[in-house]
Amino acid sequence: MGGTGSGTESNRIVENFIKLSRFDSESFHEREIAEYVIGRLVSAGAEVRTDTTDEKYLEAHPDSFPNIYGFLPGNREGEPILFSAHLDTVSPGNGKKAYVTEEGKIISEGNTVLGADDISGIISILEGLERLKEGNLKHPDIEILFTVAEEPFCEGSRYFDYRILKSRSAYVFDLNGPVGRAAIAAPTIISFEIGIEGKGAHAGFVPEEGINALNIAVETLVDFKTGHIDEETTVNFGTIAGGTGKNIVPENIKITGEVRSLNHQKASDEVERILDRFQQNARKAGGLAHCRRNDHIRAFKTDENALVTDRFLKAAKSIGISRPEFIVTMGGSDGSRLQENGIKAIVLACAMENVHTTRECADVKELERAAELALALMTV
């Protein structure tokens, strides 16, 4: 299983990557890329279902698509295995044009993202399935989950019907860095919105009659450390907006932010501490603070000795990766949703670099290796 793919396979990976990148597939607008991917799954011999997603999601996002489930029956004994990637991209992701540099990197023209997050993951899985079929290789039952709206805190996978899945082990191809890297732990992510309600007044004539919502915000914000508040927790206040004029005491201020922690209880407690402090300070000044939290995904940690990690180590070494690497990530992925639903998951690097920027790229040789890894995981 070692070495790199053939020239034909390498060309196919590049051609298919560029084809996928042409789809406008920003979050909640994945229909075209989804229909294409379904065709590829069927061609690879998979049975496909799209009756997988709660109608509430589809009603709220009519330009999106159901999460795609594929099943490839095994031809040998073994525990079923799940492979997952997501169909959506961040913005600016419309009008993408990809090309290959002399150095073997796939890049965009620079005015959009490339979409390697997560075209690289999709390509890795599809190429693995196609090589499986072409080589008539032995494998256990294989399940595939291509999700929608992953970028906005795994919103699409929130509505997937996990009762469909047989697998208890999953590989999520959705991590930057060299192939052979795997994230075995990820954080709880909780966002929050704080609306501070004061009282407007003319800033020149009667400022004392007003209740300055901005002052409440500033005096509260200085109470909190941001960035890493400890080795496993981050706090960020990301936006602040409000006021109606430079000569008017600001009556309403809106603040948004998030907390991430590898310890779920710590993340929850920190959010509550923030919200309580804003409410206390607003009341003290004669105003109000309207607070809302949104719990997106929950922290997980997969044991390095679990079946899913052991299989990864064997597969990686079988294709010549001598030192596979386990890491902790502070990013979110559908791996968190799988863990919440009783499926041990790890998140695998698959050749994407500089994600969520217009400098995003994918290395062709690393894409070949990611496809090899997918195939090895299917057959090891």
Side-chain angles (χ1 to χ4, degrees):
M1 298 278 307
T4 59
S6 70
T8 300
E9 290 169 337
S10 177
N11 291 339
R12 182 170 68 189
I13 287 172
V14 172
E15 289 169 5
N16 287 330
F17 188 105
I18 291 174
K19 186 177 293 184
L20 281 167
S21 73
R22 292 191 186 120
F23 291 105
D24 292 342
S25 54
E26 290 183 357
S27 302
F28 307 116
H29 296 84
E30 303 94 346
R31 182 169 297 276
E32 287 188 356
I33 193 171
E35 289 172 348
Y36 173 79
V37 165
I38 287 172
R40 292 281 300 277
L41 284 172
V42 171
S43 294
E47 304 163 9
V48 176
R49 290 178 59 177
T50 56
D51 58 336
T52 60
T53 306
D54 193 292
E55 287 296 327
K56 290 185 294 185
Y57 172 82
L58 300 172
E59 289 169 3
H61 305 289
D63 293 328
S64 189
F65 199 82
N67 298 291
I68 298 170
Y69 170 78
F71 178 72
L72 187 67
N75 52 19
R76 70 165 170 82
E77 294 296 318
E79 292 291 321
I81 319 162
L82 174 65
F83 294 83
S84 182
H86 65 86
L87 299 170
D88 61 317
T89 70
V90 296
S91 176
N94 291 339
K96 300 185 298 297
K97 293 182 174 64
Y99 62 95
V100 185
T101 69
E102 292 180 358
E103 295 75 27
K105 300 272 190 181
I106 306 176
I107 63 173
S108 75
E109 289 189 332
N111 58 343
T112 69
V113 297
L114 175 64
D117 180 11
D118 193 18
I119 292 172
S120 294
I122 299 168
I123 286 288
S124 301
I125 296 168
L126 290 178
E127 182 68 24
L129 291 171
E130 286 164 355
R131 295 184 189 185
L132 199 66
K133 180 181 179 182
E134 290 162 355
N136 194 26
L137 302 176
K138 298 294 183 182
H139 61 87
D141 288 349
I142 292 172
E143 296 182 293
I144 305 100
L145 175 58
F146 287 136
T147 63
V148 294
E150 186 273 349
E151 295 294 358
F153 296 117
C154 307
E155 186 65 9
S157 59
R158 182 194 297 271
Y159 295 93
F160 179 71
D161 183 358
Y162 289 90
R163 295 171 299 179
I164 294 169
L165 299 177
K166 301 177 181 180
S167 303
R168 298 295 95 190
S169 297
Y171 300 98
V172 180
F173 281 69
D174 187 19
L175 184 69
N176 65 330
V179 175
R181 176 178 291 173
I184 59 171
T188 286
I189 303 178
I190 305 173
S191 66
F192 56 82
E193 294 180 5
I194 302 163
I196 302 171
E197 182 182 332
K199 181 182 177 183
H202 195 290
F205 297 152
V206 286
E208 63 280 353
E209 294 183 6
I211 299 172
N212 194 311
L214 182 58
N215 283 350
I216 296 170
V218 171
E219 289 166 6
T220 309
L221 285 168
V222 298
D223 290 342
F224 294 99
K225 181 182 178 183
T226 58
H228 276 98
I229 64 169
D230 61 35
E231 70 282 355
E232 60 182 1
T233 309
T234 62
V235 173
N236 187 58
F237 295 96
T239 68
I240 183 166
T244 56
K246 60 190 175 191
N247 62 343
I248 302 171
V249 174
E251 183 172 4
N252 293 290
I253 295 293
K254 181 178 179 181
I255 297 169
T256 66
E258 68 165 32
V259 175
R260 301 186 182 209
S261 182
L262 298 171
N263 181 311
H264 174 75
Q265 192 60 51
K266 187 179 291 185
S268 183
D269 291 347
E270 185 64 18
V271 169
E272 288 305 309
R273 189 170 79 91
I274 291 168
L275 302 186
D276 287 347
R277 186 69 57 82
F278 273 96
Q279 289 172 330
Q280 291 170 15
N281 287 357
R283 284 195 299 267
K284 191 185 300 182
L288 292 170
H290 307 282
C291 301
R292 184 176 71 177
R293 61 181 277 175
N294 192 340
D295 293 49
H296 298 289
I297 54 176
R298 191 181 180 100
F300 76 85
K301 187 175 193 315
T302 298
D303 194 303
E304 289 190 30
N305 297 317
L307 177 63
V308 68
T309 47
D310 182 62
R311 189 183 190 96
F312 163 74
L313 291 173
K314 289 178 181 176
K317 290 176 180 177
S318 76
I319 63 168
I321 298 173
S322 58
R323 300 181 65 182
E325 177 187 15
F326 291 131
I327 68 163
V328 171
T329 178
M330 291 302 286
S333 78
D334 288 321
S336 296
R337 291 264 185 259
L338 292 167
Q339 292 276 358
E340 288 174 27
N341 286 276
I343 300 164
K344 294 294 183 185
I346 59 175
V347 188
L348 305 185
C350 51
M352 59 178 79
E353 302 173 32
N354 301 323
V355 299
H356 293 200
T357 76
T358 56
R359 296 178 290 103
E360 186 179 22
C361 63
D363 183 275
V364 173
K365 288 183 178 179
E366 284 291 280
L367 281 172
E368 293 169 357
R369 179 161 279 202
E372 284 186 73
L373 178 59
L375 180 61
L377 287 166
M378 293 171 185
T379 55
V380 70

